[in-house]
PDB file of all heavy atoms in Angstrom:
ATOM      1  N   ALA A  71      11.135   3.125  18.650  1.00 97.00           N
ATOM      2  CA  ALA A  71       9.866   2.508  19.057  1.00 97.00           C
ATOM      3  C   ALA A  71       9.968   0.992  18.995  1.00 97.00           C
ATOM      4  O   ALA A  71       9.461   0.281  19.884  1.00 97.00           O
ATOM      5  CB  ALA A  71       8.728   3.003  18.158  1.00 97.00           C
ATOM      6  N   ALA A  72      10.622   0.478  17.954  1.00 98.00           N
ATOM      7  CA  ALA A  72      10.802  -0.977  17.844  1.00 98.00           C
ATOM      8  C   ALA A  72      11.619  -1.501  19.023  1.00 98.00           C
ATOM      9  O   ALA A  72      11.317  -2.569  19.580  1.00 98.00           O
ATOM     10  CB  ALA A  72      11.477  -1.313  16.515  1.00 98.00           C
ATOM     11  N   ILE A  73      12.637  -0.748  19.412  1.00 98.00           N
ATOM     12  CA  ILE A  73      13.439  -1.155  20.579  1.00 98.00           C
ATOM     13  C   ILE A  73      12.574  -1.190  21.828  1.00 98.00           C
ATOM     14  O   ILE A  73      12.634  -2.123  22.632  1.00 98.00           O
ATOM     15  CB  ILE A  73      14.638  -0.192  20.755  1.00 98.00           C
ATOM     16  CG1 ILE A  73      15.652  -0.410  19.633  1.00 98.00           C
ATOM     17  CG2 ILE A  73      15.294  -0.393  22.119  1.00 98.00           C
ATOM     18  CD1 ILE A  73      16.748   0.639  19.583  1.00 98.00           C
ATOM     19  N   GLU A  74      11.738  -0.168  22.017  1.00 98.00           N
ATOM     20  CA  GLU A  74      10.883  -0.119  23.209  1.00 98.00           C
ATOM     21  C   GLU A  74       9.971  -1.341  23.266  1.00 98.00           C
ATOM     22  O   GLU A  74       9.722  -1.909  24.331  1.00 98.00           O
ATOM     23  CB  GLU A  74      10.030   1.153  23.206  1.00 98.00           C
ATOM     24  CG  GLU A  74      10.800   2.460  23.223  1.00 98.00           C
ATOM     25  CD  GLU A  74      11.575   2.697  24.512  1.00 98.00           C
ATOM     26  OE1 GLU A  74      11.348   1.955  25.481  1.00 98.00           O
ATOM     27  OE2 GLU A  74      12.421   3.613  24.522  1.00 98.00           O
ATOM     28  N   MET A  75       9.442  -1.755  22.098  1.00 98.00           N
ATOM     29  CA  MET A  75       8.515  -2.896  22.070  1.00 98.00           C
ATOM     30  C   MET A  75       9.243  -4.240  22.051  1.00 98.00           C
ATOM     31  O   MET A  75       8.616  -5.281  22.273  1.00 98.00           O
ATOM     32  CB  MET A  75       7.609  -2.785  20.821  1.00 98.00           C
ATOM     33  CG  MET A  75       6.625  -1.636  20.884  1.00 98.00           C
ATOM     34  SD  MET A  75       5.574  -1.550  19.404  1.00 98.00           S
ATOM     35  CE  MET A  75       6.717  -0.847  18.208  1.00 98.00           C
ATOM     36  N   GLY A  76      10.536  -4.226  21.764  1.00 98.00           N
ATOM     37  CA  GLY A  76      11.295  -5.478  21.687  1.00 98.00           C
ATOM     38  C   GLY A  76      11.270  -6.114  20.316  1.00 98.00           C
ATOM     39  O   GLY A  76      11.614  -7.287  20.175  1.00 98.00           O
ATOM     40  N   ILE A  77      10.871  -5.347  19.287  1.00 98.00           N
ATOM     41  CA  ILE A  77      10.825  -5.888  17.928  1.00 98.00           C
ATOM     42  C   ILE A  77      12.246  -5.975  17.368  1.00 98.00           C
ATOM     43  O   ILE A  77      12.975  -4.998  17.343  1.00 98.00           O
ATOM     44  CB  ILE A  77       9.962  -4.992  17.016  1.00 98.00           C
ATOM     45  CG1 ILE A  77       8.497  -5.067  17.435  1.00 98.00           C
ATOM     46  CG2 ILE A  77      10.112  -5.407  15.560  1.00 98.00           C
ATOM     47  CD1 ILE A  77       7.596  -4.110  16.667  1.00 98.00           C
ATOM     48  N   SER A  78      12.621  -7.160  16.906  1.00 97.00           N
ATOM     49  CA  SER A  78      13.942  -7.337  16.301  1.00 97.00           C
ATOM     50  C   SER A  78      13.864  -7.415  14.778  1.00 97.00           C
ATOM     51  O   SER A  78      14.896  -7.338  14.108  1.00 97.00           O
ATOM     52  CB  SER A  78      14.613  -8.598  16.849  1.00 97.00           C
ATOM     53  OG  SER A  78      13.806  -9.735  16.607  1.00 97.00           O
ATOM     54  N   ASP A  79      12.662  -7.604  14.242  1.00 98.00           N
ATOM     55  CA  ASP A  79      12.506  -7.703  12.776  1.00 98.00           C
ATOM     56  C   ASP A  79      11.630  -6.553  12.288  1.00 98.00           C
ATOM     57  O   ASP A  79      10.403  -6.658  12.212  1.00 98.00           O
ATOM     58  CB  ASP A  79      11.876  -9.050  12.403  1.00 98.00           C
ATOM     59  CG  ASP A  79      11.882  -9.285  10.893  1.00 98.00           C
ATOM     60  OD1 ASP A  79      12.531  -8.493  10.170  1.00 98.00           O
ATOM     61  OD2 ASP A  79      11.239 -10.243  10.440  1.00 98.00           O
ATOM     62  N   LEU A  80      12.283  -5.435  11.999  1.00 98.00           N
ATOM     63  CA  LEU A  80      11.606  -4.232  11.509  1.00 98.00           C
ATOM     64  C   LEU A  80      11.938  -4.064  10.035  1.00 98.00           C
ATOM     65  O   LEU A  80      13.110  -3.973   9.667  1.00 98.00           O
ATOM     66  CB  LEU A  80      12.073  -3.014  12.303  1.00 98.00           C
ATOM     67  CG  LEU A  80      11.611  -1.640  11.800  1.00 98.00           C
ATOM     68  CD1 LEU A  80      10.086  -1.505  11.897  1.00 98.00           C
ATOM     69  CD2 LEU A  80      12.302  -0.521  12.615  1.00 98.00           C
ATOM     70  N   ARG A  81      10.910  -4.041   9.197  1.00 98.00           N
ATOM     71  CA  ARG A  81      11.131  -3.861   7.771  1.00 98.00           C
ATOM     72  C   ARG A  81      10.624  -2.479   7.359  1.00 98.00           C
ATOM     73  O   ARG A  81       9.487  -2.116   7.667  1.00 98.00           O
ATOM     74  CB  ARG A  81      10.362  -4.918   6.953  1.00 98.00           C
ATOM     75  CG  ARG A  81      10.507  -6.356   7.462  1.00 98.00           C
ATOM     76  CD  ARG A  81      11.846  -6.950   7.143  1.00 98.00           C
ATOM     77  NE  ARG A  81      11.916  -8.328   7.652  1.00 98.00           N
ATOM     78  CZ  ARG A  81      11.734  -9.413   6.885  1.00 98.00           C
ATOM     79  NH1 ARG A  81      11.451  -9.278   5.599  1.00 98.00           N
ATOM     80  NH2 ARG A  81      11.827 -10.627   7.419  1.00 98.00           N
ATOM     81  N   MET A  82      11.430  -1.722   6.644  1.00 97.00           N
ATOM     82  CA  MET A  82      11.008  -0.430   6.106  1.00 97.00           C
ATOM     83  C   MET A  82      10.951  -0.583   4.592  1.00 97.00           C
ATOM     84  O   MET A  82      11.980  -0.776   3.940  1.00 97.00           O
ATOM     85  CB  MET A  82      11.973   0.658   6.552  1.00 97.00           C
ATOM     86  CG  MET A  82      11.841   0.961   8.039  1.00 97.00           C
ATOM     87  SD  MET A  82      13.030   2.167   8.673  1.00 97.00           S
ATOM     88  CE  MET A  82      14.329   1.076   9.248  1.00 97.00           C
ATOM     89  N   LEU A  83       9.738  -0.526   4.025  1.00 97.00           N
ATOM     90  CA  LEU A  83       9.544  -0.946   2.643  1.00 97.00           C
ATOM     91  C   LEU A  83       9.778   0.156   1.620  1.00 97.00           C
ATOM     92  O   LEU A  83       9.754  -0.100   0.420  1.00 97.00           O
ATOM     93  CB  LEU A  83       8.149  -1.545   2.467  1.00 97.00           C
ATOM     94  CG  LEU A  83       7.850  -2.786   3.334  1.00 97.00           C
ATOM     95  CD1 LEU A  83       6.595  -3.482   2.835  1.00 97.00           C
ATOM     96  CD2 LEU A  83       9.001  -3.771   3.373  1.00 97.00           C
ATOM     97  N   GLY A  84       9.972   1.392   2.054  1.00 95.00           N
ATOM     98  CA  GLY A  84      10.435   2.435   1.140  1.00 95.00           C
ATOM     99  C   GLY A  84       9.386   3.113   0.288  1.00 95.00           C
ATOM    100  O   GLY A  84       9.723   3.800  -0.681  1.00 95.00           O
ATOM    101  N   TYR A  85       8.121   2.952   0.647  1.00 96.00           N
ATOM    102  CA  TYR A  85       7.087   3.694  -0.079  1.00 96.00           C
ATOM    103  C   TYR A  85       7.090   5.154   0.380  1.00 96.00           C
ATOM    104  O   TYR A  85       7.621   5.492   1.442  1.00 96.00           O
ATOM    105  CB  TYR A  85       5.711   3.074   0.170  1.00 96.00           C
ATOM    106  CG  TYR A  85       5.493   1.764  -0.547  1.00 96.00           C
ATOM    107  CD1 TYR A  85       5.803   0.554   0.058  1.00 96.00           C
ATOM    108  CD2 TYR A  85       4.987   1.750  -1.844  1.00 96.00           C
ATOM    109  CE1 TYR A  85       5.611  -0.651  -0.602  1.00 96.00           C
ATOM    110  CE2 TYR A  85       4.789   0.555  -2.516  1.00 96.00           C
ATOM    111  CZ  TYR A  85       5.096  -0.642  -1.884  1.00 96.00           C
ATOM    112  OH  TYR A  85       4.907  -1.828  -2.548  1.00 96.00           O
ATOM    113  N   ARG A  86       6.452   6.002  -0.426  1.00 93.00           N
ATOM    114  CA  ARG A  86       6.387   7.429  -0.088  1.00 93.00           C
ATOM    115  C   ARG A  86       5.079   7.725   0.634  1.00 93.00           C
ATOM    116  O   ARG A  86       4.003   7.262   0.220  1.00 93.00           O
ATOM    117  CB  ARG A  86       6.497   8.290  -1.354  1.00 93.00           C
ATOM    118  CG  ARG A  86       6.527   9.775  -1.065  1.00 93.00           C
ATOM    119  CD  ARG A  86       6.919  10.582  -2.288  1.00 93.00           C
ATOM    120  NE  ARG A  86       6.845  12.006  -2.034  1.00 93.00           N
ATOM    121  CZ  ARG A  86       7.724  12.698  -1.331  1.00 93.00           C
ATOM    122  NH1 ARG A  86       8.770  12.089  -0.816  1.00 93.00           N
ATOM    123  NH2 ARG A  86       7.575  13.995  -1.135  1.00 93.00           N
ATOM    124  N   ASP A  87       5.195   8.511   1.671  1.00 88.00           N
ATOM    125  CA  ASP A  87       4.042   8.897   2.482  1.00 88.00           C
ATOM    126  C   ASP A  87       2.968   9.562   1.615  1.00 88.00           C
ATOM    127  O   ASP A  87       3.266  10.342   0.702  1.00 88.00           O
ATOM    128  CB  ASP A  87       4.543   9.868   3.558  1.00 88.00           C
ATOM    129  CG  ASP A  87       3.495  10.145   4.623  1.00 88.00           C
ATOM    130  OD1 ASP A  87       2.496   9.406   4.695  1.00 88.00           O
ATOM    131  OD2 ASP A  87       3.701  11.108   5.393  1.00 88.00           O
ATOM    132  N   LYS A  88       1.718   9.282   1.913  1.00 91.00           N
ATOM    133  CA  LYS A  88       0.536   9.853   1.260  1.00 91.00           C
ATOM    134  C   LYS A  88       0.407   9.463  -0.213  1.00 91.00           C
ATOM    135  O   LYS A  88      -0.235  10.178  -0.998  1.00 91.00           O
ATOM    136  CB  LYS A  88       0.495  11.380   1.418  1.00 91.00           C
ATOM    137  CG  LYS A  88       0.299  11.806   2.865  1.00 91.00           C
ATOM    138  CD  LYS A  88       0.035  13.289   2.996  1.00 91.00           C
ATOM    139  CE  LYS A  88      -0.263  13.633   4.454  1.00 91.00           C
ATOM    140  NZ  LYS A  88      -0.538  15.054   4.648  1.00 91.00           N
ATOM    141  N   THR A  89       1.045   8.360  -0.601  1.00 91.00           N
ATOM    142  CA  THR A  89       0.929   7.924  -2.001  1.00 91.00           C
ATOM    143  C   THR A  89       0.505   6.461  -2.115  1.00 91.00           C
ATOM    144  O   THR A  89       0.457   5.945  -3.242  1.00 91.00           O
ATOM    145  CB  THR A  89       2.259   8.095  -2.756  1.00 91.00           C
ATOM    146  OG1 THR A  89       3.225   7.193  -2.220  1.00 91.00           O
ATOM    147  CG2 THR A  89       2.776   9.516  -2.673  1.00 91.00           C
TER     148      THR A  89
END
Side-chain angles (χ1 to χ4, degrees):
I73 290 170
E74 299 294 349
M75 291 180 284
I77 292 175
S78 58
D79 188 10
L80 172 64
R81 313 285 180 100
M82 289 176 267
L83 300 194
Y85 286 91
R86 184 168 176 76
D87 191 14
K88 294 189 176 180
T89 67

